[in-house]
Amino acid sequence: MRKPRIAILGATGVVGREITKITEELNVEFESIKFLSSAKSAGSKITFKGKEYTVEEATPEIFDNIDIVMASAGGSTSQKFAPEIKKRGGVIIDNSSAFRMEKDVPLVIAGVNDEDLRLHKGIIANPNCSTSQLMLVLEPLKEFGIKRLIVSTYQAVSGAGLAAINELREDTVANLEGKAFENKCFKKPISFNVIPQIDVFCENGYTKEEMKVVNETRKILHLGEDTLISCTAARVPVFNGHSEAVDIEFEKEISPEKVREILSSAYGVKVIDNPDNFEYPTTRDASGVDPVFVGRIRKNLAFKNGISLWCVADNLRIGAALNTVRICKRVIEMGLF
């Protein structure tokens, strides 16, 4: 099998740089690689595997003879270039929300629903960051029948981009120094605060972010509408790493001990669960590394056959870049380009 010709679209952004880093870490095989951006960032330099590359402007013609594009350049850019990539025989692994819920586009977490990759027609969607870490926890438990799911997310500012990271830093300094600060990225001040809104509100009172978790979970795990799912998403003053409180009601009886046993050997998951010794995962444990960390596994007091747990992951890695690169590797291994 020949090696693919690869491009990274949005290579100069926060997630694009992480994709570049992880592509090197995971030793993705390729015949050639290009780094693409908008005209504004074109001409800048990227060092990859000890070699310096010049970032090129993304144009339709640049995708000639490209097999796989890992894209993290925003929904409008993906919608613009996806048809061009498909037309030229390539496949785009898209990190935006542009195609996630389209019927003919597989929404994939590597290691969870790899077989869905075989259904792709030139576009593969990478799920929302908060959905991504949750799926690696739920998939191994699916055999017990997920009846009801309630998720509360506590999401880091890095999920909103570099400007949001800078706003948390600057707002915190201003707050500590007693100076006025005008927040631009968030509707409320983010320093020393928790904001119960991520994205815009829908007619049902949920935000788009919350509905992404609901709808994407159903699509990835192939759950029916009779599986009841609810989510509340909040932005917290943490630079990196999303946390989630998860309550699951199962069809079959399951114990916390069984959940620990299953998740301890699950792909992409690491259990840290010894509360008596204050051992449970935090965002500092997760930042910069690959696993989804799980702890506080206990019997849920409100649900029959219910389990409550806490999970934490680096949202820029498993929630975005890592899964994108893992999908790329699966596409190569399965010969789907």
Side-chain angles (χ1 to χ4, degrees), residues 47-163:
T47 301
F48 177 76
K49 288 195 170 184
K51 181 180 176 182
E52 188 175 76
Y53 291 80
T54 300
V55 177
E56 301 176 67
E57 181 183 356
T59 62
E61 296 73 24
I62 204 131
F63 297 105
D64 288 338
N65 301 314
I66 295 294
D67 298 305
I68 302 173
V69 178
M70 293 184 278
S72 186
S76 59
T77 300
S78 293
Q79 287 173 329
K80 175 183 177 181
F81 287 119
E84 299 293 340
I85 293 165
K86 286 178 61 178
K87 184 169 68 177
R88 289 164 168 79
V91 54
I92 177 174
I93 303 167
D94 183 41
N95 201 46
S96 79
S97 61
F99 306 105
R100 287 174 185 159
M101 296 313 298
E102 290 197 7
K103 185 179 179 181
D104 294 335
V105 175
L107 184 65
V108 176
I109 297 289
V112 172
N113 60 327
D114 294 351
E115 284 301 307
D116 288 354
L117 289 170
R118 300 188 189 279
L119 305 175
H120 88 73
K121 298 178 181 178
I123 303 174
I124 299 165
N126 189 13
N128 180 46
C129 51
S130 47
T131 307
S132 296
Q133 67 188 73
L134 181 63
M135 295 304 95
L136 285 166
V137 176
L138 292 183
E139 196 278 335
L141 303 174
K142 208 175 92 169
E143 62 179 293
F144 291 88
I146 298 172
K147 181 179 180 181
R148 192 191 317 260
L149 177 66
I150 298 176
V151 185
S152 299
T153 73
Y154 307 85
Q155 298 183 216
V157 297
S158 57
L162 182 59

Side-chain angles (χ1 to χ4, degrees), residues 20-54:
T20 301
K21 177 182 173 184
I22 296 171
T23 298
E24 182 170 351
E25 287 177 6
L26 298 188
N27 198 28
V28 176
E29 293 190 341
F30 55 85
E31 179 184 309
S32 63
I33 189 165
K34 289 186 176 183
F35 300 92
L36 311 176
S37 72
S38 64
K40 182 180 177 181
S41 298
S44 57
K45 305 294 183 181
I46 284 180
T47 301
F48 177 76
K49 288 195 170 184
K51 181 180 176 182
E52 188 175 76
Y53 291 80
T54 300

Side-chain angles (χ1 to χ4, degrees), residues 197-212:
Q197 178 188 357
I198 300 177
D199 213 324
V200 298
F201 286 99
C202 306
E203 289 185 3
N204 63 1
Y206 285 75
T207 64
K208 282 183 69 176
E209 178 75 10
E210 292 159 351
M211 293 310 300
K212 286 175 187 176

